[in-house]
Amino acid sequence: MLYLIGTGIHDEKDMSLKGIDACKKCAKVFAEFYTCPVSVNITSLEKMVGKKITVLDRKQVEEGEVVIESAKKQDTAFLVGGDALSATTHTEIMLGAKKAGIEVKIIHASSIFTAIAETGLMLYKFGKTVSLPFPQKGYFPATPYTNIKENLDAGLHTLLLLDIGMTANRALEILLELEGKLKGNVFSKDTKIVVVAHLGGDSLIKYDAIENLKKMDFGALPHSIVVLGKMHFHEADVLGLFK
Amino acid sequence: MLYLIGTGIHDEKDMSLKGIDACKKCAKVFAEFYTCPVSVNITSLEKMVGKKITVLDRKQVEEGEVVIESAKKQDTAFLVGGDALSATTHTEIMLGAKKAGIEVKIIHASSIFTAIAETGLMLYKFGKTVSLPFPQKGYFPATPYTNIKENLDAGLHTLLLLDIGMTANRALEILLELEGKLKGNVFSKDTKIVVVAHLGGDSLIKYDAIENLKKMDFGALPHSIVVLGKMHFHEADVLGLFK
């Protein structure tokens, strides 16, 4: 049996009782926290589940073999930050295990995809979620910008997930650079948007013009951004608290 | 202090350690499970948090006063199914409490909005989430249908959340009735879609033509539906497991 378990949005205490129980039943427990950089303390987590946890690196996770080979022989748990399946690479491990005839049980947890409602914005008023990668030499994709624009045209909010290690400040610069290139009239320095940081920990939520947000220090990662579509007055009411 | 706490997607064991710790610190614990009908056993939950839990009815929740008045006087927890803030009524309680000068701490949990990834579909390929209400005499809204069509036109999947007490079978009939009225060429009896039931418990996932799904028994509620947009080959691979 393979248990794919989310440790939740912030630290090891965001894990569910079901997840902890499953780890206790397993002969082997693996974990990885690079896909979703959370503040899990491994020593404390090991104490909670009563056994040693093997932390995998990016290559081991992407190949998936370590986890699947272990699950062929013994009950195995694989812990990941956020929900169990918010990253494609984890879905691929689920698929690989099922194809190898291994029973897979998914144990869900809290995640930015839902926790973003802490801003007061309604989940069913969000369009497609968008990822913002670091631009590289010869690689400055316009897709994040065009996707945000499509959501806006439909009156919908956009949850913008930032590349591993990216601050909201850097993301705001990138958005303004994209505006400069693509001129779709989506962002100006006066555009009011929402920045969230370390949500689920001591959640920081700021609603302000890009110009002001760019100068703020949001503290520890992860940071995320919401680009606002058409607002319901209830949403505006809650956002008002975060000015 | 008011703690707004999600109990997670299925039963009381989906609650996080953080949520349980918060309840233990509170003088008063309220709960409601009609907005998000989960399989939480109150007696078992009371044992876990070591105190009596007062279950509120719909009217008490919508007014919100019981919870806010209690939080004015003492540390209070309010437990809800799924994530802490997936329903507007809970966001309103957060807002009401903050306006009354009460400190509010949100403790997130697993939710259908993220757990739907158990189908193998990628979360960032979903458009706007759509709710499907029961049609009533003189009330048969076209909005769910037009919203699904907008997502499809953008190549995106739609998570369809069903009205309280609605089975997937009834929902499929409603979708076909809407098609008959609006003729947008979204659904036919051969359209392949996904039904999920009691996700996070013994998750049931079925991918088939509407005609076949209509005859199946999906067991206990809640049920949800995914209308499929353009599929990535990885997604098709995973869905193939649920035929």
Side-chain angles (χ1 to χ4, degrees):
Chain A
M1 171 81 97
L2 172 62
Y3 294 92
L4 256 170
I5 304 172
T7 60
I9 189 161
H10 185 67
D11 62 28
E12 65 280 5
K13 291 250 172 175
D14 285 309
M15 202 158 148
S16 69
L17 293 179
K18 206 175 266 179
I20 293 162
D21 286 352
C23 288
K24 286 181 180 166
K25 279 189 281 188
C26 285
K28 185 77 197 161
V29 181
F30 295 100
E32 76 90 351
F33 298 110
Y34 78 82
T35 329
C36 179
V38 286
S39 303
V40 167
N41 180 310
I42 295 285
T43 316
S44 160
L45 192 56
E46 287 180 330
K47 221 174 272 175
M48 280 162 46
V49 305
K51 55 190 50 139
K52 191 100 193 97
I53 296 173
T54 309
V55 178
L56 302 180
D57 63 25
R58 185 167 192 154
K59 189 159 167 282
Q60 288 172 307
V61 174
E62 281 171 4
E63 294 173 352
E65 279 177 29
V66 188
V67 174
I68 294 174
E69 286 307 313
S70 167
K72 280 183 186 167
K73 295 186 294 240
Q74 58 203 334
D75 283 355
T76 298
F78 182 37
L79 307 179
V80 304
D83 188 35
L85 291 173
S86 29
T88 313
T89 176
H90 306 144
T91 309
E92 279 168 21
I93 289 177
M94 170 178 83
L95 179 64
K98 286 191 175 187
K99 280 189 172 169
I102 299 162
E103 205 183 331
V104 181
K105 170 88 186 147
I106 310 296
I107 300 180
H108 295 285
S110 52
S111 153
I112 182 72
F113 283 89
T114 317
I116 195 64
E118 200 169 326
T119 54
L121 299 168
M122 298 171 192
L123 291 178
Y124 58 88
K125 295 198 63 196
F126 280 78
K128 182 185 162 81
T129 299
V130 173
S131 299
L132 189 69
F134 277 114
Q136 282 161 7
K137 222 187 154 180
Y139 176 74
F140 199 155
T143 341
Y145 184 92
T146 49
N147 283 334
I148 291 168
K149 190 164 162 47
E150 278 167 24
N151 282 340
L152 281 177
D153 290 345
L156 301 172
H157 311 313
T158 306
L159 170 60
L160 196 63
L161 299 177
L162 312 185
D163 207 346
I164 299 170
M166 188 188 290
T167 61
N169 314 72
R170 181 72 186 103
L172 294 173
E173 284 171 15
I174 296 173
L175 294 178
L176 290 178
E177 279 179 63
L178 282 168
E179 178 65 44
K181 280 173 188 281
L182 299 163
K183 300 186 198 308
N185 212 11
V186 172
F187 301 107
S188 77
K189 62 183 179 45
D190 301 318
T191 307
K192 286 183 137 185
I193 64 174
V194 179
V195 170
V196 301
H198 31 93
L199 211 64
D202 57 332
S203 307
L204 184 79
I205 301 173
K206 286 288 173 193
Y207 168 52
D208 207 333
I210 290 183
E211 186 174 34
N212 299 329
L213 291 168
K214 267 176 69 181
K215 297 172 205 152
M216 292 182 197
D217 179 359
F218 304 105
L221 299 181
H223 299 171
S224 305
I225 285 175
V226 182
V227 182
L228 297 163
K230 208 176 150 193
M231 277 212 280
H232 187 275
F233 69 95
H234 272 146
E235 296 182 305
D237 247 19
V238 184
L239 272 187
L241 301 171
F242 303 120
K243 256 180 197 159
Chain B
M1 171 80 99
L2 172 62
Y3 294 93
L4 255 169
I5 305 172
T7 60
I9 189 162
H10 184 66
D11 62 29
E12 65 279 5
K13 292 249 171 176
D14 286 308
M15 202 158 150
S16 70
L17 293 179
K18 206 174 265 179
I20 293 163
D21 285 353
C23 288
K24 286 182 180 165
K25 279 189 279 188
C26 285
K28 185 75 197 163
V29 181
F30 295 101
E32 76 91 349
F33 298 110
Y34 77 82
T35 328
C36 179
V38 285
S39 303
V40 166
N41 180 310
I42 295 286
T43 315
S44 159
L45 192 56
E46 286 179 332
K47 222 173 272 175
M48 279 161 45
V49 304
K51 55 189 53 138
K52 190 99 193 96
I53 296 172
T54 309
V55 178
L56 303 179
D57 62 28
R58 183 166 193 155
K59 191 161 165 281
Q60 288 172 308
V61 174
E62 281 171 3
E63 292 172 356
E65 280 177 29
V66 187
V67 174
I68 294 174
E69 285 309 312
S70 168
K72 279 183 187 165
K73 295 183 295 233
Q74 58 204 335
D75 283 356
T76 298
F78 182 38
L79 307 179
V80 305
D83 188 35
L85 290 174
S86 29
T88 314
T89 175
H90 306 144
T91 309
E92 279 168 21
I93 289 178
M94 170 178 83
L95 180 63
K98 286 192 175 186
K99 282 189 171 170
I102 300 162
E103 205 183 333
V104 181
K105 170 88 185 145
I106 310 296
I107 300 180
H108 295 285
S110 52
S111 152
I112 181 72
F113 283 90
T114 317
I116 196 64
E118 201 171 326
T119 54
L121 299 168
M122 297 170 192
L123 291 177
Y124 57 86
K125 295 199 61 195
F126 280 78
K128 183 185 161 81
T129 299
V130 174
S131 298
L132 188 69
F134 277 114
Q136 281 159 10
K137 220 185 154 183
Y139 176 73
F140 198 154
T143 340
Y145 184 92
T146 48
N147 284 333
I148 291 168
K149 189 164 163 46
E150 278 166 26
N151 282 340
L152 281 177
D153 289 346
L156 301 171
H157 311 313
T158 306
L159 170 60
L160 195 64
L161 299 177
L162 312 186
D163 206 346
I164 299 170
M166 189 189 288
T167 62
N169 314 73
R170 181 72 186 103
L172 294 173
E173 284 171 15
I174 295 172
L175 294 178
L176 290 178
E177 279 179 64
L178 283 167
E179 178 64 46
K181 279 173 189 284
L182 300 163
K183 302 185 199 306
N185 212 11
V186 173
F187 301 107
S188 76
K189 63 185 179 44
D190 301 318
T191 307
K192 284 181 138 187
I193 63 174
V194 179
V195 170
V196 302
H198 31 94
L199 211 65
D202 56 334
S203 306
L204 184 80
I205 302 174
K206 286 288 171 191
Y207 168 51
D208 207 333
I210 291 184
E211 186 173 35
N212 299 329
L213 291 168
K214 268 177 69 180
K215 296 172 204 151
M216 291 181 196
D217 179 359
F218 303 105
L221 299 180
H223 299 170
S224 305
I225 284 174
V226 182
V227 182
L228 297 164
K230 208 176 150 192
M231 279 212 278
H232 188 274
F233 69 94
H234 273 146
E235 296 182 306
D237 248 19
V238 184
L239 272 188
L241 302 171
F242 303 121
K243 259 180 195 157

